[in-house]
Amino acid sequence: MANALSPLMDSAARATEPVIRGIADDQLSAPTPCAEYDVHALLNHLFHVVVSFQGLAAKEPADFSTTPDYVTGDWRSRFGEETVKLVEAWSAPDALEGVSPGMGLPQRTVAHMVIGDVVVHGWDLARATGQEYRPDMAALGEIRPAFEEIGPMARKAGVFGEEVPVPPDATPFEKLLAGTGRDPHWSPC
């Protein structure tokens, strides 16, 4: 039996997977909204998050000190395979219980983090490669308040940039992106 967040994790992955499949080899060196990453490096980061958070679901430790190169072989198909494993790992009824030994945060917060990474980096990669991205609204509704809560801690740790001001009529997704330090209107040009 799945828990309440695993279907949202699945829908976030399904929204991002077509973006990954749509990235051309000649776009791997393109800039992204994450200034420290080009498309290749951001793909590696996202893959590493997806793979590492599989173990975090089972309360295993994760190593984020280095990032392997996942962009080899049939990486486009492998992304879908890895996100299926991610959703399966987080579908365990007890996956959201307790505190993550690997992160020192409540498991529910860790689940929100991986859903948010898949959503936000899906948008980053879509923007960098000229693709459309439509986040799942249910996943967005779940992670937006969670990201508002962890925002100060994430900014202090250098995971989020400084919040970008947006107009009051900004969409919920634009507000989420701005809260992570992204300009919702970023373009590579």
Side-chain angles (χ1 to χ4, degrees), residues 13-28 30 39 43 46-47 71 74-80 121-122 124-133:
R14 287 177 189 265
T16 298
E17 187 175 359
V19 171
I20 303 301
R21 288 186 175 276
I23 297 172
D25 289 341
D26 65 355
Q27 294 175 312
L28 293 174
V39 169
L43 281 165
L46 182 56
F47 260 104
V71 186
D74 188 8
W75 55 269
R76 292 171 186 88
S77 295
R78 197 167 63 252
F79 182 80
H121 292 320
D124 289 333
L125 290 164
R127 279 296 218 191
T129 59
Q131 299 182 65
E132 290 293 316
Y133 183 77

mmCIF file of all heavy atoms in Angstrom, residues 13-28 30 39 43 46-47 71 74-80 121-122 124-133:
data_model
loop_
_atom_site.group_PDB
_atom_site.id
_atom_site.type_symbol
_atom_site.label_atom_id
_atom_site.label_comp_id
_atom_site.label_asym_id
_atom_site.label_seq_id
_atom_site.Cartn_x
_atom_site.Cartn_y
_atom_site.Cartn_z
ATOM 1 N N ALA A 13 7.642 12.902 -11.350
ATOM 2 C CA ALA A 13 8.576 12.219 -12.254
ATOM 3 C C ALA A 13 8.005 12.134 -13.661
ATOM 4 O O ALA A 13 8.725 12.338 -14.644
ATOM 5 C CB ALA A 13 8.885 10.824 -11.716
ATOM 6 N N ARG A 14 6.719 11.874 -13.774
ATOM 7 C CA ARG A 14 6.089 11.762 -15.100
ATOM 8 C C ARG A 14 6.094 13.112 -15.832
ATOM 9 O O ARG A 14 6.174 13.142 -17.059
ATOM 10 C CB ARG A 14 4.668 11.241 -14.976
ATOM 11 C CG ARG A 14 4.604 9.777 -14.638
ATOM 12 C CD ARG A 14 3.155 9.331 -14.447
ATOM 13 N NE ARG A 14 3.077 8.002 -13.926
ATOM 14 C CZ ARG A 14 2.922 6.912 -14.671
ATOM 15 N NH1 ARG A 14 2.859 7.022 -15.980
ATOM 16 N NH2 ARG A 14 2.843 5.735 -14.110
ATOM 17 N N ALA A 15 6.013 14.209 -15.101
ATOM 18 C CA ALA A 15 6.068 15.531 -15.738
ATOM 19 C C ALA A 15 7.483 15.857 -16.210
ATOM 20 O O ALA A 15 7.670 16.570 -17.195
ATOM 21 C CB ALA A 15 5.567 16.601 -14.765
ATOM 22 N N THR A 16 8.485 15.329 -15.517
ATOM 23 C CA THR A 16 9.880 15.638 -15.840
ATOM 24 C C THR A 16 10.472 14.682 -16.872
ATOM 25 O O THR A 16 11.325 15.087 -17.669
ATOM 26 C CB THR A 16 10.717 15.636 -14.540
ATOM 27 O OG1 THR A 16 10.202 16.669 -13.694
ATOM 28 C CG2 THR A 16 12.182 15.882 -14.789
ATOM 29 N N GLU A 17 10.010 13.460 -16.901
ATOM 30 C CA GLU A 17 10.604 12.471 -17.807
ATOM 31 C C GLU A 17 10.600 12.895 -19.276
ATOM 32 O O GLU A 17 11.626 12.735 -19.963
ATOM 33 C CB GLU A 17 9.924 11.111 -17.634
ATOM 34 C CG GLU A 17 10.619 10.024 -18.428
ATOM 35 C CD GLU A 17 10.035 8.646 -18.186
ATOM 36 O OE1 GLU A 17 9.095 8.485 -17.381
ATOM 37 O OE2 GLU A 17 10.531 7.718 -18.845
ATOM 38 N N PRO A 18 9.518 13.473 -19.825
ATOM 39 C CA PRO A 18 9.579 13.892 -21.236
ATOM 40 C C PRO A 18 10.625 14.975 -21.491
ATOM 41 O O PRO A 18 11.201 15.044 -22.583
ATOM 42 C CB PRO A 18 8.173 14.425 -21.528
ATOM 43 C CG PRO A 18 7.307 13.970 -20.421
ATOM 44 C CD PRO A 18 8.198 13.670 -19.259
ATOM 45 N N VAL A 19 10.873 15.802 -20.494
ATOM 46 C CA VAL A 19 11.914 16.831 -20.643
ATOM 47 C C VAL A 19 13.269 16.148 -20.781
ATOM 48 O O VAL A 19 14.068 16.499 -21.665
ATOM 49 C CB VAL A 19 11.903 17.803 -19.443
ATOM 50 C CG1 VAL A 19 13.107 18.737 -19.491
ATOM 51 C CG2 VAL A 19 10.601 18.585 -19.395
ATOM 52 N N ILE A 20 13.533 15.176 -19.933
ATOM 53 C CA ILE A 20 14.813 14.458 -19.984
ATOM 54 C C ILE A 20 14.970 13.791 -21.352
ATOM 55 O O ILE A 20 16.023 13.885 -21.986
ATOM 56 C CB ILE A 20 14.899 13.403 -18.860
ATOM 57 C CG1 ILE A 20 14.700 14.040 -17.478
ATOM 58 C CG2 ILE A 20 16.200 12.615 -18.954
ATOM 59 C CD1 ILE A 20 15.670 15.108 -17.100
ATOM 60 N N ARG A 21 13.917 13.147 -21.813
ATOM 61 C CA ARG A 21 13.969 12.461 -23.120
ATOM 62 C C ARG A 21 14.153 13.454 -24.265
ATOM 63 O O ARG A 21 14.693 13.103 -25.315
ATOM 64 C CB ARG A 21 12.716 11.630 -23.340
ATOM 65 C CG ARG A 21 12.667 10.401 -22.464
ATOM 66 C CD ARG A 21 11.465 9.523 -22.822
ATOM 67 N NE ARG A 21 11.472 8.300 -22.065
ATOM 68 C CZ ARG A 21 12.155 7.207 -22.378
ATOM 69 N NH1 ARG A 21 12.915 7.195 -23.443
ATOM 70 N NH2 ARG A 21 12.085 6.129 -21.626
ATOM 71 N N GLY A 22 13.731 14.693 -24.074
ATOM 72 C CA GLY A 22 13.813 15.699 -25.125
ATOM 73 C C GLY A 22 15.117 16.459 -25.194
ATOM 74 O O GLY A 22 15.291 17.325 -26.051
ATOM 75 N N ILE A 23 16.054 16.160 -24.310
ATOM 76 C CA ILE A 23 17.341 16.861 -24.314
ATOM 77 C C ILE A 23 18.250 16.253 -25.380
ATOM 78 O O ILE A 23 18.534 15.061 -25.372
ATOM 79 C CB ILE A 23 18.012 16.797 -22.925
ATOM 80 C CG1 ILE A 23 17.147 17.515 -21.897
ATOM 81 C CG2 ILE A 23 19.424 17.396 -22.979
ATOM 82 C CD1 ILE A 23 17.608 17.348 -20.462
ATOM 83 N N ALA A 24 18.691 17.090 -26.291
ATOM 84 C CA ALA A 24 19.595 16.655 -27.362
ATOM 85 C C ALA A 24 21.038 16.680 -26.857
ATOM 86 O O ALA A 24 21.388 17.459 -25.968
ATOM 87 C CB ALA A 24 19.452 17.573 -28.573
ATOM 88 N N ASP A 25 21.857 15.832 -27.440
ATOM 89 C CA ASP A 25 23.265 15.771 -27.039
ATOM 90 C C ASP A 25 23.960 17.120 -27.169
ATOM 91 O O ASP A 25 24.806 17.467 -26.343
ATOM 92 C CB ASP A 25 24.018 14.718 -27.855
ATOM 93 C CG ASP A 25 23.623 13.293 -27.478
ATOM 94 O OD1 ASP A 25 23.066 13.085 -26.383
ATOM 95 O OD2 ASP A 25 23.878 12.386 -28.298
ATOM 96 N N ASP A 26 23.602 17.901 -28.199
ATOM 97 C CA ASP A 26 24.278 19.189 -28.392
ATOM 98 C C ASP A 26 23.789 20.257 -27.405
ATOM 99 O O ASP A 26 24.285 21.378 -27.428
ATOM 100 C CB ASP A 26 24.147 19.669 -29.831
ATOM 101 C CG ASP A 26 22.717 19.979 -30.253
ATOM 102 O OD1 ASP A 26 21.771 19.737 -29.476
ATOM 103 O OD2 ASP A 26 22.550 20.471 -31.394
ATOM 104 N N GLN A 27 22.855 19.912 -26.534
ATOM 105 C CA GLN A 27 22.381 20.848 -25.507
ATOM 106 C C GLN A 27 23.042 20.609 -24.151
ATOM 107 O O GLN A 27 22.805 21.359 -23.210
ATOM 108 C CB GLN A 27 20.863 20.739 -25.354
ATOM 109 C CG GLN A 27 20.107 21.183 -26.585
ATOM 110 C CD GLN A 27 18.611 20.963 -26.451
ATOM 111 O OE1 GLN A 27 18.164 19.891 -26.055
ATOM 112 N NE2 GLN A 27 17.845 22.001 -26.761
ATOM 113 N N LEU A 28 23.872 19.597 -24.041
ATOM 114 C CA LEU A 28 24.448 19.238 -22.741
ATOM 115 C C LEU A 28 25.344 20.322 -22.148
ATOM 116 O O LEU A 28 25.495 20.400 -20.930
ATOM 117 C CB LEU A 28 25.205 17.910 -22.843
ATOM 118 C CG LEU A 28 24.319 16.684 -23.104
ATOM 119 C CD1 LEU A 28 25.181 15.443 -23.332
ATOM 120 C CD2 LEU A 28 23.345 16.466 -21.958
ATOM 121 N N ALA A 30 24.717 23.572 -22.496
ATOM 122 C CA ALA A 30 23.927 24.803 -22.376
ATOM 123 C C ALA A 30 23.812 25.238 -20.918
ATOM 124 O O ALA A 30 23.788 24.415 -20.011
ATOM 125 C CB ALA A 30 22.533 24.589 -22.968
ATOM 126 N N VAL A 39 23.690 21.932 -18.480
ATOM 127 C CA VAL A 39 22.679 20.869 -18.586
ATOM 128 C C VAL A 39 23.263 19.520 -18.160
ATOM 129 O O VAL A 39 22.639 18.775 -17.399
ATOM 130 C CB VAL A 39 22.090 20.805 -20.015
ATOM 131 C CG1 VAL A 39 21.246 19.553 -20.216
ATOM 132 C CG2 VAL A 39 21.266 22.061 -20.304
ATOM 133 N N LEU A 43 21.861 17.410 -15.036
ATOM 134 C CA LEU A 43 21.361 16.042 -15.213
ATOM 135 C C LEU A 43 22.032 15.096 -14.223
ATOM 136 O O LEU A 43 21.366 14.275 -13.583
ATOM 137 C CB LEU A 43 21.609 15.558 -16.641
ATOM 138 C CG LEU A 43 20.647 16.055 -17.704
ATOM 139 C CD1 LEU A 43 21.220 15.793 -19.103
ATOM 140 C CD2 LEU A 43 19.279 15.398 -17.548
ATOM 141 N N LEU A 46 20.570 15.746 -10.788
ATOM 142 C CA LEU A 46 19.215 15.219 -10.647
ATOM 143 C C LEU A 46 19.232 13.695 -10.572
ATOM 144 O O LEU A 46 18.536 13.102 -9.737
ATOM 145 C CB LEU A 46 18.328 15.703 -11.799
ATOM 146 C CG LEU A 46 16.871 15.255 -11.745
ATOM 147 C CD1 LEU A 46 16.195 15.660 -10.437
ATOM 148 C CD2 LEU A 46 16.114 15.823 -12.946
ATOM 149 N N PHE A 47 20.001 13.044 -11.417
ATOM 150 C CA PHE A 47 20.138 11.591 -11.340
ATOM 151 C C PHE A 47 20.626 11.171 -9.955
ATOM 152 O O PHE A 47 20.108 10.223 -9.356
ATOM 153 C CB PHE A 47 21.136 11.081 -12.389
ATOM 154 C CG PHE A 47 20.529 10.519 -13.626
ATOM 155 C CD1 PHE A 47 20.524 11.264 -14.802
ATOM 156 C CD2 PHE A 47 19.983 9.253 -13.653
ATOM 157 C CE1 PHE A 47 19.984 10.749 -15.969
ATOM 158 C CE2 PHE A 47 19.436 8.721 -14.813
ATOM 159 C CZ PHE A 47 19.442 9.476 -15.980
ATOM 160 N N VAL A 71 25.318 10.488 -17.116
ATOM 161 C CA VAL A 71 24.939 10.812 -18.490
ATOM 162 C C VAL A 71 25.817 10.014 -19.447
ATOM 163 O O VAL A 71 26.647 10.551 -20.187
ATOM 164 C CB VAL A 71 24.998 12.335 -18.731
ATOM 165 C CG1 VAL A 71 24.460 12.688 -20.119
ATOM 166 C CG2 VAL A 71 24.204 13.081 -17.663
ATOM 167 N N ASP A 74 22.347 4.795 -22.342
ATOM 168 C CA ASP A 74 20.965 5.224 -22.599
ATOM 169 C C ASP A 74 20.410 5.940 -21.364
ATOM 170 O O ASP A 74 19.472 5.480 -20.719
ATOM 171 C CB ASP A 74 20.096 4.022 -22.977
ATOM 172 C CG ASP A 74 18.710 4.425 -23.449
ATOM 173 O OD1 ASP A 74 18.455 5.639 -23.638
ATOM 174 O OD2 ASP A 74 17.871 3.525 -23.601
ATOM 175 N N TRP A 75 20.991 7.081 -21.025
ATOM 176 C CA TRP A 75 20.621 7.803 -19.807
ATOM 177 C C TRP A 75 19.191 8.308 -19.860
ATOM 178 O O TRP A 75 18.539 8.443 -18.822
ATOM 179 C CB TRP A 75 21.607 8.929 -19.500
ATOM 180 C CG TRP A 75 21.817 9.914 -20.610
ATOM 181 C CD1 TRP A 75 22.762 9.853 -21.595
ATOM 182 C CD2 TRP A 75 21.077 11.113 -20.851
ATOM 183 N NE1 TRP A 75 22.654 10.946 -22.432
ATOM 184 C CE2 TRP A 75 21.627 11.740 -21.998
ATOM 185 C CE3 TRP A 75 20.004 11.738 -20.199
ATOM 186 C CZ2 TRP A 75 21.148 12.936 -22.506
ATOM 187 C CZ3 TRP A 75 19.525 12.931 -20.705
ATOM 188 C CH2 TRP A 75 20.085 13.521 -21.850
ATOM 189 N N ARG A 76 18.676 8.595 -21.029
ATOM 190 C CA ARG A 76 17.292 9.101 -21.131
ATOM 191 C C ARG A 76 16.297 8.052 -20.639
ATOM 192 O O ARG A 76 15.407 8.360 -19.866
ATOM 193 C CB ARG A 76 16.991 9.530 -22.563
ATOM 194 C CG ARG A 76 17.774 10.761 -22.998
ATOM 195 C CD ARG A 76 17.621 11.033 -24.491
ATOM 196 N NE ARG A 76 18.475 12.119 -24.924
ATOM 197 C CZ ARG A 76 19.727 11.984 -25.324
ATOM 198 N NH1 ARG A 76 20.301 10.778 -25.341
ATOM 199 N NH2 ARG A 76 20.432 13.029 -25.703
ATOM 200 N N SER A 77 16.464 6.816 -21.065
ATOM 201 C CA SER A 77 15.589 5.742 -20.589
ATOM 202 C C SER A 77 15.869 5.423 -19.127
ATOM 203 O O SER A 77 14.946 5.126 -18.361
ATOM 204 C CB SER A 77 15.783 4.474 -21.426
ATOM 205 O OG SER A 77 15.368 4.699 -22.748
ATOM 206 N N ARG A 78 17.135 5.471 -18.758
ATOM 207 C CA ARG A 78 17.500 5.133 -17.378
ATOM 208 C C ARG A 78 16.882 6.099 -16.370
ATOM 209 O O ARG A 78 16.541 5.709 -15.256
ATOM 210 C CB ARG A 78 19.028 5.087 -17.230
ATOM 211 C CG ARG A 78 19.450 4.351 -15.962
ATOM 212 C CD ARG A 78 20.929 4.011 -15.918
ATOM 213 N NE ARG A 78 21.780 5.191 -15.923
ATOM 214 C CZ ARG A 78 22.526 5.580 -16.957
ATOM 215 N NH1 ARG A 78 22.555 4.893 -18.069
ATOM 216 N NH2 ARG A 78 23.272 6.665 -16.881
ATOM 217 N N PHE A 79 16.668 7.348 -16.769
ATOM 218 C CA PHE A 79 16.025 8.284 -15.848
ATOM 219 C C PHE A 79 14.636 7.768 -15.466
ATOM 220 O O PHE A 79 14.283 7.759 -14.285
ATOM 221 C CB PHE A 79 15.920 9.692 -16.441
ATOM 222 C CG PHE A 79 15.299 10.670 -15.494
ATOM 223 C CD1 PHE A 79 16.045 11.235 -14.477
ATOM 224 C CD2 PHE A 79 13.954 11.010 -15.592
ATOM 225 C CE1 PHE A 79 15.474 12.123 -13.571
ATOM 226 C CE2 PHE A 79 13.367 11.901 -14.707
ATOM 227 C CZ PHE A 79 14.132 12.458 -13.690
ATOM 228 N N GLY A 80 13.861 7.338 -16.440
ATOM 229 C CA GLY A 80 12.539 6.783 -16.154
ATOM 230 C C GLY A 80 12.617 5.559 -15.262
ATOM 231 O O GLY A 80 11.819 5.398 -14.331
ATOM 232 N N HIS A 121 14.020 21.006 -10.889
ATOM 233 C CA HIS A 121 15.062 20.727 -11.877
ATOM 234 C C HIS A 121 14.461 20.299 -13.219
ATOM 235 O O HIS A 121 15.088 20.495 -14.262
ATOM 236 C CB HIS A 121 16.055 19.694 -11.352
ATOM 237 C CG HIS A 121 16.883 20.207 -10.222
ATOM 238 N ND1 HIS A 121 17.398 21.490 -10.189
ATOM 239 C CD2 HIS A 121 17.296 19.614 -9.074
ATOM 240 C CE1 HIS A 121 18.091 21.655 -9.074
ATOM 241 N NE2 HIS A 121 18.038 20.535 -8.383
ATOM 242 N N GLY A 122 13.259 19.748 -13.197
ATOM 243 C CA GLY A 122 12.559 19.493 -14.459
ATOM 244 C C GLY A 122 12.324 20.800 -15.200
ATOM 245 O O GLY A 122 12.550 20.902 -16.409
ATOM 246 N N ASP A 124 14.059 23.614 -14.653
ATOM 247 C CA ASP A 124 15.386 24.133 -15.024
ATOM 248 C C ASP A 124 15.830 23.561 -16.365
ATOM 249 O O ASP A 124 16.289 24.294 -17.250
ATOM 250 C CB ASP A 124 16.439 23.722 -13.981
ATOM 251 C CG ASP A 124 16.319 24.423 -12.650
ATOM 252 O OD1 ASP A 124 15.808 25.560 -12.595
ATOM 253 O OD2 ASP A 124 16.759 23.828 -11.635
ATOM 254 N N LEU A 125 15.716 22.250 -16.503
ATOM 255 C CA LEU A 125 16.182 21.591 -17.722
ATOM 256 C C LEU A 125 15.301 21.936 -18.918
ATOM 257 O O LEU A 125 15.803 22.093 -20.033
ATOM 258 C CB LEU A 125 16.254 20.077 -17.494
ATOM 259 C CG LEU A 125 17.385 19.659 -16.541
ATOM 260 C CD1 LEU A 125 17.184 18.233 -16.050
ATOM 261 C CD2 LEU A 125 18.750 19.820 -17.209
ATOM 262 N N ALA A 126 14.013 22.073 -18.680
ATOM 263 C CA ALA A 126 13.120 22.481 -19.770
ATOM 264 C C ALA A 126 13.484 23.881 -20.254
ATOM 265 O O ALA A 126 13.588 24.123 -21.461
ATOM 266 C CB ALA A 126 11.658 22.425 -19.301
ATOM 267 N N ARG A 127 13.685 24.795 -19.320
ATOM 268 C CA ARG A 127 14.043 26.168 -19.690
ATOM 269 C C ARG A 127 15.355 26.207 -20.453
ATOM 270 O O ARG A 127 15.505 26.930 -21.436
ATOM 271 C CB ARG A 127 14.186 27.033 -18.440
ATOM 272 C CG ARG A 127 12.899 27.516 -17.895
ATOM 273 C CD ARG A 127 12.237 28.415 -18.891
ATOM 274 N NE ARG A 127 11.612 29.487 -18.166
ATOM 275 C CZ ARG A 127 10.776 30.340 -18.710
ATOM 276 N NH1 ARG A 127 10.504 30.274 -19.978
ATOM 277 N NH2 ARG A 127 10.230 31.265 -17.999
ATOM 278 N N ALA A 128 16.321 25.444 -19.977
ATOM 279 C CA ALA A 128 17.651 25.448 -20.588
ATOM 280 C C ALA A 128 17.642 24.878 -21.995
ATOM 281 O O ALA A 128 18.493 25.240 -22.811
ATOM 282 C CB ALA A 128 18.618 24.659 -19.712
ATOM 283 N N THR A 129 16.674 24.008 -22.286
ATOM 284 C CA THR A 129 16.667 23.312 -23.579
ATOM 285 C C THR A 129 15.475 23.691 -24.448
ATOM 286 O O THR A 129 15.204 23.022 -25.455
ATOM 287 C CB THR A 129 16.705 21.786 -23.367
ATOM 288 O OG1 THR A 129 15.566 21.382 -22.591
ATOM 289 C CG2 THR A 129 17.988 21.367 -22.674
ATOM 290 N N GLY A 130 14.759 24.749 -24.084
ATOM 291 C CA GLY A 130 13.672 25.256 -24.907
ATOM 292 C C GLY A 130 12.438 24.373 -24.950
ATOM 293 O O GLY A 130 11.729 24.349 -25.960
ATOM 294 N N GLN A 131 12.177 23.661 -23.871
ATOM 295 C CA GLN A 131 11.017 22.777 -23.819
ATOM 296 C C GLN A 131 9.948 23.343 -22.891
ATOM 297 O O GLN A 131 10.232 24.174 -22.030
ATOM 298 C CB GLN A 131 11.426 21.394 -23.315
ATOM 299 C CG GLN A 131 12.437 20.688 -24.191
ATOM 300 C CD GLN A 131 12.744 19.308 -23.655
ATOM 301 O OE1 GLN A 131 11.882 18.439 -23.625
ATOM 302 N NE2 GLN A 131 13.982 19.122 -23.204
ATOM 303 N N GLU A 132 8.739 22.851 -23.061
ATOM 304 C CA GLU A 132 7.643 23.210 -22.162
ATOM 305 C C GLU A 132 7.728 22.344 -20.911
ATOM 306 O O GLU A 132 8.186 21.196 -20.980
ATOM 307 C CB GLU A 132 6.286 22.956 -22.838
ATOM 308 C CG GLU A 132 5.977 23.903 -23.958
ATOM 309 C CD GLU A 132 5.774 25.335 -23.480
ATOM 310 O OE1 GLU A 132 5.094 25.545 -22.462
ATOM 311 O OE2 GLU A 132 6.312 26.244 -24.132
ATOM 312 N N TYR A 133 7.297 22.890 -19.801
ATOM 313 C CA TYR A 133 7.223 22.112 -18.570
ATOM 314 C C TYR A 133 5.952 22.498 -17.835
ATOM 315 O O TYR A 133 5.713 23.679 -17.581
ATOM 316 C CB TYR A 133 8.440 22.365 -17.664
ATOM 317 C CG TYR A 133 8.396 21.495 -16.429
ATOM 318 C CD1 TYR A 133 8.743 20.154 -16.505
ATOM 319 C CD2 TYR A 133 7.971 21.997 -15.208
ATOM 320 C CE1 TYR A 133 8.683 19.335 -15.390
ATOM 321 C CE2 TYR A 133 7.916 21.186 -14.092
ATOM 322 C CZ TYR A 133 8.267 19.855 -14.189
ATOM 323 O OH TYR A 133 8.198 19.052 -13.087
#
